[in-house]
């Protein structure tokens, strides 16, 4: 079974984000970038499926600038077999990313696609669902447990009333929640091996996908969030 994992390059979660002086966006100059934490969970789950003998190949894909190869190499060091970079320097919407991923899915024909439920920069929580709608695949979101059984994948997810398990026919889309697993660290030998693993670069034009957006960012402002402390009454 081929598993496709989509990852995203984001500002490292330990970095304090700064807004540009002209309020046109976030200042990324000399800022440490890393793989989105939810995407790390997605990669880990795919690697565990391969270790169990369920998955035969893991393909990791990202949409972003050329520098996003760094995050793809990290995923390769964690256990992915090969990588695909859809190179674009534009600021893309969730729908545009979903369209590009759909083109990659059509090309790769994976039986299972795993994504982080959201990215910590935009927090949109849209791409996985949009990809499922565009591809016509079954979807299981906010997964806290994933089990592949034959031609189905059982996804356990947290809901208001407790836990819900949905049985999806493969191929399917799964988005990962925090409690699904604990991502591993890449060892130095695997980091060195990752440099030799195949990494393909394509463009949106080569995939035949238009990334034009009808959205326009007018202004970006820093916002302070006050901590809320709840106290139980005695």
């Amino acid at each position: 079974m081929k598993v496709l994992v989509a990852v995203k390059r984001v500002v490292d979660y330990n970095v304090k984000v700064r807004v540009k002086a002209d309020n046109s966006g976030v200042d990324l100059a000399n800022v440490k970038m890393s793989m989105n934490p939810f995407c790390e969970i997605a990669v880990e789950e795919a690697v565990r499926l391969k270790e169990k003998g369920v998955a035969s190949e893991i393909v990791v894909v990202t949409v972003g600038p050329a520098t996003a190869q760094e995050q793809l190499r990290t995923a390769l060091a964690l256990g992915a077999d090969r990588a695909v970079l859809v190179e674009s320097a534009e600021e893309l919407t969730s729908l545009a990313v979903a369209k590009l991923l759909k083109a990659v899915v059509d090309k790769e024909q994976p039986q299972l696609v795993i994504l982080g439920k959201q990215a910590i920069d935009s927090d949109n929580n849209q791409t996985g669902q949009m990809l499922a709608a565009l591809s016509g695949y079954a979807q299981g979101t906010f997964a806290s447990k994933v089990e592949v059984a034959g031609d189905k994948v059982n996804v356990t997810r947290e809901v208001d009333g407790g836990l819900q398990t949905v049985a999806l026919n493969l191929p399917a889309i799964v988005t990962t929640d925090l409690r699904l697993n604990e991502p591993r660290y890449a060892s130095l030998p695997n980091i060195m091996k990752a440099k030799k693993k195949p990494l393909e670069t394509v463009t949106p034009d080569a995939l035949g996908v238009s990334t034009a957006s009808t959205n326009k960012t007018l202004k970006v402002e820093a916002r302070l969030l006050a901590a809320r402390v709840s106290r139980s009454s005695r």
Side-chain angles (χ1 to χ4, degrees):
M1 183 177 76
K2 181 189 291 187
V3 179
L4 181 74
V5 183
V7 302
K8 185 178 182 181
R9 174 184 172 90
V10 298
V11 176
D12 189 89
Y13 68 93
N14 287 313
V15 173
K16 183 178 181 180
V17 176
R18 299 188 303 267
V19 175
K20 293 180 180 178
D22 60 359
N23 295 106
S24 62
V26 175
D27 186 4
L28 300 180
N30 301 316
V31 171
K32 181 183 178 183
M33 307 293 286
S34 62
M35 190 191 303
N36 177 50
F38 288 101
C39 298
E40 291 180 348
I41 295 171
V43 173
E44 173 66 22
E45 192 63 24
V47 172
R48 292 189 183 190
L49 288 174
K50 187 175 181 181
E51 291 173 343
K52 293 176 182 177
V54 175
S56 57
E57 183 183 24
I58 302 172
V59 182
V60 62
V61 58
T62 192
V63 180
T67 48
Q69 291 187 31
E70 178 185 354
Q71 281 64 49
L72 290 177
R73 292 295 180 191
T74 298
L76 292 172
L78 291 172
D81 298 296
R82 57 187 178 90
V84 178
L85 169 63
V86 182
E87 188 173 345
S88 175
E90 300 178 26
E91 186 176 345
L92 302 177
T93 63
S94 299
L95 180 58
V97 173
K99 288 179 178 179
L100 291 169
L101 292 178
K102 198 265 184 182
V104 175
V105 167
D106 289 343
K107 179 182 177 182
E108 295 289 343
Q109 293 293 305
Q111 284 72 52
L112 182 63
V113 182
I114 309 179
L115 308 87
K117 72 171 184 178
Q118 66 194 74
I120 62 172
D121 52 1
S122 58
D123 268 341
N124 287 335
N125 179 25
Q126 295 176 330
T127 304
Q129 292 89 327
M130 288 178 171
L131 176 58
L134 291 171
S135 62
Y137 288 4
Q139 62 175 306
T141 56
F142 316 136
S144 59
K145 185 178 181 181
V146 175
E147 292 181 320
V148 178
D151 60 349
K152 292 184 181 294
V153 55
N154 296 321
V155 177
T156 300
R157 53 200 304 272
E158 295 182 3
V159 295
D160 290 342
L163 296 177
Q164 176 190 62
T165 300
V166 293
L168 311 175
N169 292 323
L170 295 174
I173 310 287
V174 173
T175 69
T176 61
D177 207 346
L178 283 173
R179 280 168 285 280
L180 179 58
N181 60 52
E182 184 71 28
R184 70 191 67 188
Y185 291 99
S187 65
L188 182 58
N190 287 337
I191 292 174
M192 300 305 293
K193 291 177 183 177
K195 295 180 180 180
K196 298 181 180 180
K197 290 185 178 181
L199 193 159
E200 177 187 2
T201 300
V202 297
T203 63
D205 289 341
L207 294 174
V209 177
S210 172
T211 57
S213 174
T214 57
N215 297 337
K216 181 180 179 181
T217 300
L218 300 179
K219 188 177 182 181
V220 177
E221 293 181 337
R223 182 178 178 185
L224 297 177
L225 298 178
R228 297 173 59 184
V229 180
S230 60
R231 297 182 176 85
S232 59
S233 59
R234 293 181 179 272

